[in-house]
Structures are given as C-alpha cells and as structure tokens.
Amino acid sequence: MIPLSVLDLSVVTTGTKPAAALRNSIDLARHVDGLGYVRYWLAEHHNLASVASPAPDVMIGQIAAVTKHIRVGSGGVMLPNHAPLVVAERFKMLEALFPGRIDLGLGRAPGTDGATAYALRSRLDRREGDDFLERLHELILWQTREFPSGHPYHNVVAMPDDTPLPPIWLLGSSDYSSELAAQVGMGFAFAHHFASHDAVDAMVHYRNRFQPSAWSADPHAILAVAVITADTDEEAEKLAASFDLNRLRRDRGQYLPLPSVDEALAYPYTDSERTSIARNRSRLFVGSPATVQKKLQPLIDASEPDELMVITAVYDHDARKKSYSLLAEAFGLAKQAA
C-alpha cells in the first residue's frame, strides 16, 4: 500500500482560536505518529484568519520534540519571504536536533496577499519579479559552500557547520516546480487540493525528466490531496459542509475561520453557489474509508505517487483525528507499522 503523510495548516475555526489550533496540530501529530504516517508537514501562511501558523520552522521543532518516528517538515517555507541564510541556519539547527527526521519543503508563492508580502520582504534585498531561482541557488550554496573567492559570502558559514541541510523538496501546483525539481534532482510535492493544473501531467513530467543529483538519486513524488473520512458516507458529507462553505467564501476572497457544520448546513445557498460547490468537490475526496479509497484509486493509478499527503480540514478536532485513523486503517498503515 502507498505510504501516507499529513499536511497541516493549523486551521482556525469559529470555535477554535489560533492558539488552540496550534495545540491541536501538536496533538494531531502525536496521533498520526502512532498510526504509521511517515511525514508531517506544516504550511506557511500570513494574514489569514483561517490559518494559525505563519512559521513552520517553529512548529517543526515543537512537533519533532513530542513525536518519535514521523518525519517533520515544511509544506512549505515560502522562500521569497526569507533570506536564504536564515532558512539554512534554522533547518540545519532542526536537523542537528532531530537528525534524519526533518524535511525542507520550499514554495515559490508568498502565501499571503500583496501588502503582507511587501511587509515580510521590506527589509530584504528586494528584486523585481520572481527571484525564487536566485534564492534557491543561494540556499544551495550555503550547503555546498561554493561561493567563489572574492564573493562577500565566501567566508560566511551557516551554523551549525557540522550538520547538513535536510532533504529539500520543491512544492508546486503547476508544471513549473515539477520541471525545476526534475532538473535539479530534488523531491517534488504537488498540491492537488488547490491546483488548477492536471496532477497526472505534473507527476509524470517530473518522473520522466528527473536528473539524479547529490540531493537524490531517484525521483520521489508526493501527491497532496484533501480528504474527509467518517464511518459512513452520510457522516462524511455532513462534515464536508464546513469545507464547502469555507471554499465558497475563499473564492470570493473571504479567508474566514472554518464555519461549524450547523452554520454551513443552515446557509441559504443559491443555485450558482451550489454549482460552485460541486465544481470545487473535484479537489476533495469525501466518504467512508471504502468510498474514499475507491475515489482516490484512479488518481493514484494514473499519477503513480510515491506517497500520498493528506490534508483534512473539518470543524471538530476529534473528527479530524478519526478521519486520519480511518484512512490509516483503510490503507493498511497499522499493518505496515507492526
């Protein structure tokens, strides 16, 4: 069976304030560590009332400290928001403290609106346009220490200098990152849960064009999907009502806390809104474990991911934990762990 991982946004709900959402992330990480999930990634978002975690490196340290087996990483660090040296230092520290358990996932988008992105970068050396490649190259140089003689960074060392950077993953929702990850020989994670680009095309493109490198000898492709599982299809559909209303609001630029099921069910949807919800369901897999597995299998067969990374955003924290438990059982994680 395919390995399973977790992508966590530390979702804020109308009944769960941001501080509690962060604590829920730590609790969920402990839970899935015991279920046999192989990876737990934290996202970086800013100025969003629906997402509590703007600093994945801080959460990674907290979660790695209370788990035993699961790899913990960023899904991802939005590299344009940060000086590459700072990213190198922080993740080398994490790797030193939790050797062999840290991942550095990198994103190219700001993870926020334009004004907040400017505030994040206003003290950095700003570049016009997309400077992701430049920042990625610099980050790699902090690992290889191949700044040329005479370069101002030639004698600068990213500490701790006896620890390498953890594995680097490039994240994407288009063909850009799949092409780049293949060229530089890094791992690749595709965000099916919000991408408009075809997941199969991106995954196959990455695998076919992968060039072995010092970072990785073989391609490793993660497919990130949104899943809501419950004991029955009916119960899962009820839980998904929160997601449906939240996504509808997001499409209007309203990044509000996740509403309760009762609020979502009571909402007076218009016909056009119901059409939008039905269209958005193409990015969400809902149902009992057997139903979800059946819905996922064609996508798994076509894209051939090495790993399935699951994001589950529901109003009730216990229901979210149960969703991951049911999925683990359906995919045989307990047997693999044993």
Side-chain angles (χ1 to χ4, degrees):
M1 302 295 285
I2 188 170
L4 297 183
S5 295
V6 175
L7 175 61
D8 183 17
L9 272 63
S10 299
V11 174
V12 179
T13 77
T14 54
T16 306
K17 300 302 181 185
L22 295 174
R23 291 191 290 270
N24 283 346
S25 290
I26 295 173
D27 181 60
L28 179 63
R30 285 197 195 99
H31 179 66
V32 298
D33 187 33
L35 293 174
Y37 283 76
V38 299
R39 213 177 300 273
Y40 197 102
W41 281 5
L42 291 306
E44 175 189 339
H45 289 284
H46 303 272
N47 193 33
L48 295 181
S50 56
V51 180
S53 176
D57 53 320
V58 175
M59 289 297 292
I60 289 167
Q62 294 294 313
I63 287 174
V66 298
T67 53
K68 296 180 179 179
H69 310 291
I70 200 165
R71 296 187 67 93
V72 192
S74 55
V77 167
M78 300 295 104
L79 190 55
N81 297 339
H82 307 280
L85 175 58
V86 173
V87 176
E89 288 177 332
R90 291 178 180 178
F91 277 82
K92 281 161 71 71
M93 281 183 65
L94 288 167
E95 180 67 19
L97 293 169
F98 309 101
R101 291 186 56 209
I102 304 299
D103 292 322
L104 174 51
L106 299 174
R108 170 171 162 247
T112 189
D113 59 275
T116 308
Y118 181 84
L120 286 165
R121 306 173 193 177
S122 62
R123 298 302 176 95
L124 298 178
D125 181 15
R126 290 178 52 79
R127 298 286 191 272
E128 293 299 325
D130 187 347
D131 63 351
F132 178 79
L133 279 176
E134 181 182 345
R135 290 177 183 271
L136 177 62
H137 186 213
E138 183 183 326
L139 177 65
I140 292 171
L141 288 173
W142 289 118
Q143 167 69 22
T144 62
R145 300 185 64 179
E146 293 177 348
F147 289 106
S149 179
H151 191 282
Y153 298 164
H154 181 71
N155 293 321
V156 181
V157 178
M159 295 295 288
D161 62 353
D162 62 342
T163 303
L165 281 173
I168 297 179
W169 300 76
L170 299 187
L171 319 183
S173 58
S174 68
D175 58 348
Y176 177 92
S177 290
S178 67
E179 174 70 26
L180 180 58
Q183 286 182 7
V184 299
M186 293 177 177
F188 173 60
F190 184 81
H192 174 273
H193 56 292
F194 66 80
S196 57
H197 189 80
D198 180 56
V200 176
D201 175 75
M203 301 284 277
V204 171
H205 185 92
Y206 163 72
R207 190 174 294 105
N208 288 344
R209 293 173 178 257
F210 182 85
Q211 299 293 318
S213 71
W215 300 100
S216 180
D218 301 296
H220 192 110
I222 297 175
L223 180 64
V225 293
V227 176
I228 296 175
T229 307
D231 287 324
T232 66
D233 290 349
E234 293 75 17
E235 185 180 353
E237 285 290 339
K238 187 176 180 180
L239 292 174
S242 296
F243 175 94
D244 291 336
L245 178 56
N246 193 55
R247 184 59 196 242
L248 188 66
R249 288 170 170 169
R250 284 187 62 186
D251 289 345
R252 297 169 178 167
Q254 301 171 355
Y255 291 86
L256 301 175
L258 190 73
S260 69
V261 171
D262 289 342
E263 179 184 350
L265 292 176
Y267 185 89
Y269 297 99
T270 65
D271 289 343
S272 63
E273 288 172 335
R274 293 189 184 279
T275 299
S276 295
I277 287 172
R279 184 170 59 249
N280 288 332
R281 279 298 189 94
S282 65
R283 300 188 184 98
L284 177 65
F285 299 88
V286 181
S288 67
T291 298
V292 165
Q293 201 168 21
K294 184 178 179 180
K295 289 179 177 179
L296 279 170
Q297 200 58 52
L299 180 60
I300 293 172
D301 291 342
S303 61
E304 297 183 334
D306 298 290
E307 193 175 318
L308 204 63
M309 182 167 278
V310 178
I311 177 171
T312 298
V314 295
Y315 182 80
D316 183 76
H317 180 58
D318 288 336
R320 181 165 68 143
K321 290 171 67 175
K322 184 173 182 179
S323 180
Y324 282 109
S325 295
L326 292 171
L327 203 63
E329 184 177 354
F331 279 83
L333 293 198
K335 293 179 181 178
Q336 291 179 34

